């Protein structure tokens, strides 16, 4: 649900009230240069990221409501394989967060 008009500064501004944001990245379509509707926000502390996820999930940011979930960290260029976790357990293996509209657009 990330608005096409959102940029990295607006994301950092929106999420920095929850803690120290270390990195913000928006995914762009290579062919047309427009946002694909999702991006990543990384925090220094896991509890800050969890607070941001809880507070911002389903909240509008320059458009439709965001759908926020945890993203997997990568190790040496490959995805980390982790067991399925209960929805009540906060993953301890990542500080990154991914949000998007879920449609791949």
């Amino acid at each position: 649900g990330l608005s096409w008009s959102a940029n990295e500064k607006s994301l950092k501004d929106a999420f920095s009230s929850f803690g120290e944001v270390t990195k913000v990245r928006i995914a762009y379509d290579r062919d047309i240069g427009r946002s694909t509707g999702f991006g990543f926000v990384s925090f220094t502390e896991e509890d800050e990221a969890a607070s941001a996820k809880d507070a911002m999930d389903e909240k509008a940011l320059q458009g439709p409501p965001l759908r926020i979930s945890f993203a997997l960290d990568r190790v040496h260029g490959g995805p980390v394989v982790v067991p399925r976790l209960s929805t009540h357990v906060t993953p301890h293996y990542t500080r990154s967060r991914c949000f998007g509209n879920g449609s791949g657009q």
Side-chain angles (χ1 to χ4, degrees):
L2 183 61
S3 169
W4 291 333
S5 65
N7 59 37
E8 291 174 354
K9 182 186 180 325
S10 65
L11 285 180
K12 185 172 185 174
D13 290 347
F15 283 86
S16 64
S17 64
F18 301 100
E20 184 180 348
V21 174
T22 58
K23 185 177 180 181
V24 176
R25 185 175 67 88
I26 296 175
Y28 291 93
D29 183 291
R30 291 180 197 165
D31 295 330
I32 61 174
R34 186 175 69 181
S35 168
T36 59
F38 70 94
F40 301 88
V41 177
S42 298
F43 291 85
T44 57
E45 300 294 328
E46 181 180 337
D47 61 330
E48 295 169 347
S51 294
K53 178 188 179 296
D54 292 343
M56 296 296 287
D57 192 34
E58 299 298 326
K59 299 289 188 243
L61 178 68
Q62 299 178 345
L66 299 174
R67 293 177 49 191
I68 301 176
S69 61
F70 294 105
L72 298 178
D73 283 340
R74 294 186 176 266
V75 176
H76 302 294
V80 175
V81 178
V82 295
R84 288 183 70 92
L85 299 173
S86 163
T87 58
H88 302 322
V89 177
T90 301
H92 66 280
Y93 52 83
T94 182
R95 289 185 208 136
S96 298
R97 301 298 178 258
C98 175
F99 47 89
N101 61 13
S103 69
Q105 297 183 6

